[in-house]
């Protein structure tokens, strides 16, 4: 019997060895570190270097001691994205404190901003959006001149796309840039630039374009509205009133209210004059939707 027990005793250590070899429990730990959930494992991962990026507000930027836009443009060729962010911040300083030096290279700089916004790294995207705001504030309507207008059109599209993203901090920064754009430019030409995007296939882009359009309208008088065309403006608003996103519908209501106030400013019978205009120049469905917005006034 003692001889028969030996193989049984020898078999016992074999079974626990198998679960020991299943040290594959480490696999989910690696997955967590890749997704950024496990803080302890983030140190060696590239995203940890985002902490080295300092998102400096425009008010806290300092002038450059030796400004030279060409040197900073060369810095964008670096494969080190941290250095590219530094170059973007230097462009911001040029825009704020040395705009005359940056002006000859403005088209090239806008192209660089667009390239950075398309980069998958969020730090580059946000810094390039911040640079866009500073450039809008520095140059305003100059961006609509022939030499830069095509580049500006592409930059505007990128901003609307970034404002439509799911990444909250990127989206919020793009919203700030769009607000800076409205404040820095003449309303009428900017409205003309924004108009095509309310027909964009992406419903979030439509909504993001509708908001600055409504802000432009709020800054326009009746004369500027007539230059653009009150009827096309109201037709655009009527279409947005039926949009799927509430932001677009709210912007449309703001547009209607802005046009109503400007159109009826010198009218004694405001509702009657407004109703007559809408029913004469718009389709019955469009007129009805606009009159519903203003009926409570």
């Amino acid at each position: 019997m003692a001889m028969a027990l030996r193989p049984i005793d020898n078999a016992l250590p074999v079974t626990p060895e198998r679960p020991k070899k299943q040290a594959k429990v480490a696999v989910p730990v690696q997955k967590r570190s890749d997704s950024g959930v496990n803080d302890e494992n983030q140190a060696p991962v590239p995203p940890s270097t985002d902490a080295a990026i300092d998102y400096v507000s425009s008010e806290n930027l300092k002038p450059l001691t030796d400004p030279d836009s060409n040197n900073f443009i060369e810095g964008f060729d670096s494969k080190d994205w941290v250095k590219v962010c530094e170059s973007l911040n230097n462009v911001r300083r040029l825009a704020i404190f040395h705009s005359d030096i940056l002006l000859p290279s403005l088209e090239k700089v806008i192209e660089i901003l667009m390239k950075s916004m398309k980069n998958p790294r969020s730090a580059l995207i946000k810094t390039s959006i911040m640079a866009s705001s500073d450039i809008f504030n520095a140059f305003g309507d100059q961006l609509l001149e022939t030499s830069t207008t095509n580049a500006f059109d592409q930059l505007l599209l990128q901003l609307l796309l970034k404002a439509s993203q799911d990444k909250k901090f990127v989206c919020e920064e793009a919203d700030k840039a769009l607000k800076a754009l409205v404040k820095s430019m003449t309303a009428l030409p900017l409205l003309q630039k924004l108009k095509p995007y309310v027909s964009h296939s992406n419903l979030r882009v439509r909504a993001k374009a509708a908001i600055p359009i409504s802000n432009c309208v709020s800054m326009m008088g009746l004369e500027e509205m007539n230059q653009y065309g009150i009827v096309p403006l109201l037709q655009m608003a009527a279409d947005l009133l039926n949009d799927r996103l509430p932001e677009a519908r709210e912007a449309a209501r703001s547009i209607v209210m802005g046009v109503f106030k400007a159109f009826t400013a010198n009218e004694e019978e405001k509702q009657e004059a407004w109703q007559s205009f809408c029913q004469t120049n718009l389709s019955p469905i469009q007129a009805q939707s606009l009159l519903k917005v203003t009926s409570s006034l």
Side-chain angles (χ1 to χ4, degrees):
M1 294 296 293
M3 293 292 292
L5 290 173
R6 286 183 181 177
I8 296 175
D9 293 338
N10 292 336
L12 291 176
V14 176
T15 51
E17 285 181 0
R18 290 182 179 176
K20 285 182 181 178
K21 291 181 180 180
Q22 293 178 356
K24 297 178 181 178
V25 182
V27 173
V29 174
Q30 290 179 339
K31 288 182 179 179
R32 287 183 181 181
S33 65
D34 289 341
S35 63
V37 174
N38 191 335
D39 293 335
E40 294 178 356
N41 294 330
Q42 280 187 351
V45 181
S48 65
T49 54
D50 283 0
I53 299 301
D54 189 11
Y55 299 115
V56 185
S57 64
S58 302
E59 296 77 14
N60 293 328
L61 287 171
K62 305 297 181 184
L64 293 165
T65 54
D66 185 21
D68 185 346
S69 63
N70 291 324
N71 288 344
F72 301 128
I73 289 175
E74 292 171 2
F76 289 111
D77 294 329
S78 174
K79 294 182 179 179
D80 185 344
W81 66 271
V82 176
K83 291 184 178 179
V84 176
C85 281
E86 292 174 356
S87 296
L88 285 169
N89 279 327
N90 285 332
V91 164
R92 296 177 63 202
R93 295 157 105 186
L94 281 172
I96 295 171
F97 301 105
H98 318 281
S99 59
D100 55 328
I101 296 177
L102 189 61
L103 182 59
S105 306
L106 193 54
E107 184 176 7
K108 177 65 176 177
V109 168
I110 293 175
E111 292 173 358
I112 291 169
L113 294 182
M114 287 188 294
K115 181 180 178 181
S116 298
M117 285 186 198
K118 295 177 182 179
N119 192 288
R121 194 170 289 277
S122 299
L124 270 177
I125 297 174
K126 178 167 179 173
T127 308
S128 62
I129 294 173
M130 295 175 77
S132 299
S133 295
D134 293 324
I135 285 177
F136 295 155
N137 290 327
F139 297 102
D141 288 343
Q142 288 179 283
L143 293 166
L144 301 177
E145 295 179 358
T146 306
S147 59
T148 57
T149 185
N150 291 333
F152 172 76
D153 290 342
Q154 294 300 315
L155 179 61
L156 180 56
L157 174 58
Q158 284 303 312
L159 278 176
L160 292 170
L161 290 171
K162 297 310 173 188
S164 306
Q165 272 196 359
D166 292 327
K167 290 183 179 179
K168 185 177 179 180
F169 79 105
V170 171
C171 177
E172 289 177 346
E173 200 62 48
D175 285 338
K176 291 179 185 177
L178 291 170
K179 289 179 181 177
L181 182 61
V182 173
K183 291 180 180 179
S184 64
M185 287 191 174
T186 304
L188 178 58
L190 179 56
L191 173 58
Q192 293 168 334
K193 289 287 186 182
L194 288 164
K195 170 62 171 67
Y197 299 110
V198 294
S199 302
H200 198 276
S201 57
N202 186 323
L203 74 166
R204 296 181 72 176
V205 170
R206 292 200 302 269
K208 292 298 181 178
I211 295 170
I213 285 177
S214 69
N215 292 334
C216 285
V217 171
S218 68
M219 299 167 60
M220 295 168 65
L222 184 60
E223 183 178 350
E224 289 178 293
M225 293 179 187
N226 281 321
Q227 289 178 22
Y228 178 85
I230 291 183
V231 173
L233 195 57
L234 292 176
Q235 289 172 333
M236 175 177 61
D239 291 339
L240 287 171
L241 284 171
N242 296 317
D243 199 89
R244 289 167 55 190
L245 289 183
E247 296 92 338
R249 298 195 297 270
E250 182 59 32
R253 285 189 284 270
S254 176
I255 293 170
V256 175
M257 297 298 290
V259 177
F260 173 84
K261 290 177 181 179
F263 181 82
T264 62
N266 297 320
E267 297 286 345
E268 292 184 4
E269 301 294 334
K270 298 183 183 300
Q271 290 291 352
E272 288 76 3
W274 176 248
Q275 180 175 344
S276 175
F277 179 84
C278 290
Q279 292 177 342
T280 302
N281 294 281
L282 303 171
S283 69
I285 295 177
Q286 290 175 332
Q288 183 180 5
S289 63
L290 298 187
L291 292 172
K292 184 178 179 180
V293 173
T294 58
S295 61
S296 59
L297 297 177

